[in-house]
Amino acid sequence: MPTSPPKSTIHSNDFPPRHPHRLQPMERPPPISLMRQYSRFELSNGPHPSIDRPGTRIFSAGDSIVIYPEGSLEFHSTGDPILMSYWFATIKSFYIQDLRPGMTVWAEVEWLYRRSDLLPFCPSLAHTIAENKLVWSDHSSLIDVKCIKCIQPIHHTTPAHSCGSPIPTAVPFSRYSIHVNLTVDTEGTHVPSSAYLIPTHERIRSSSSVPS
């Protein structure tokens, strides 16, 4: 774990070309202990101007994001991609190994699971959630920031708060938090094997801790 506190912002002018609906090839990240930690990432001259600065995309720790999936997207009859066919996560920190042109910026994220993600290893929970519901998890990974499509606001609620308050089906929302048990598959990849519900305050405490 880094011995110094996270620095404020990484700046990059290198916006990579990419397929509009496909996950980018990603190298295996180096150990976190060998990288510097940041809480904010600014990508200049990107194609999606922000309010803060034209031509700049800004991502910060705590942002909920949409990630390009490994497989194919699903599309509406209009040709637009279906939002819930993307992956979702929350940013915890950013990491870099070297400050240089073309550097790889890594984002540590906590995954939000969709119903389809839960079905293979936690079907009892999957069958109780709506198509546009996401489940917070303590499963974290390092991803290349090129995999991030955009920031996506997510409606957070609890069973007690949501009674009598319907949420539009086009809005992703989260109501539950889970602890995910991981196993290593034949390719050496950590994959979820089981999960159980945890109180929301435990997820908040876990998310605010410094990653090791």
Side-chain angles (χ1 to χ4, degrees), residues 26-203:
M26 189 174 71
E27 300 176 356
R28 184 176 295 274
I32 282 180
S33 59
L34 300 180
M35 296 190 286
R36 283 176 282 187
Q37 183 183 13
Y38 293 80
S39 59
R40 178 180 164 104
F41 174 56
E42 291 189 4
L43 183 58
S44 300
N45 301 321
H48 306 293
S50 70
I51 295 174
D52 295 327
R53 190 185 307 164
T56 299
R57 300 176 69 190
I58 299 174
F59 301 98
S60 301
D63 285 343
S64 297
I65 53 174
V66 173
I67 298 170
Y68 292 98
E70 189 173 29
S72 300
L73 288 173
E74 299 176 15
F75 293 85
H76 295 287
S77 58
T78 59
D80 297 320
I82 296 173
L83 179 61
M84 297 306 292
S85 63
Y86 288 98
W87 292 347
F88 297 85
T90 299
I91 296 171
K92 294 184 69 177
S93 289
F94 296 97
Y95 293 91
I96 58 168
Q97 194 164 19
D98 300 300
L99 275 172
R100 54 179 172 77
M103 64 185 176
T104 298
V105 179
W106 301 96
E108 184 180 26
V109 301
E110 284 188 327
W111 294 101
L112 289 108
Y113 281 78
R114 305 165 299 177
R115 180 169 64 182
S116 58
D117 301 321
L118 292 166
L119 276 171
F121 69 95
C122 196
S124 58
L125 177 59
H127 289 306
T128 67
I129 66 175
E131 184 62 35
N132 62 322
K133 182 187 287 186
L134 298 166
V135 178
W136 286 94
S137 81
D138 57 1
H139 176 192
S140 63
S141 303
L142 284 179
I143 65 168
D144 191 323
V145 294
K146 293 192 297 288
C147 300
I148 300 174
K149 180 182 186 295
C150 62
I151 294 173
Q152 172 62 54
I154 294 173
H155 185 90
H156 306 299
T157 184
T158 65
H161 292 159
S162 62
C163 292
S165 303
I167 298 171
T169 56
V171 177
F173 74 103
S174 174
R175 183 175 299 167
Y176 301 114
S177 302
I178 56 173
H179 168 76
V180 178
N181 295 310
L182 302 174
T183 58
V184 180
D185 65 12
T186 55
E187 297 180 354
T189 303
H190 288 85
V191 295
S193 58
S194 62
Y196 58 83
L197 291 171
I198 59 175
T200 300
H201 71 272
E202 289 189 17
R203 182 193 64 76

Side-chain angles (χ1 to χ4, degrees), residues 4-16:
S4 59
K7 299 178 183 297
S8 175
T9 304
I10 310 170
H11 299 272
S12 175
N13 294 315
D14 182 27
F15 193 89

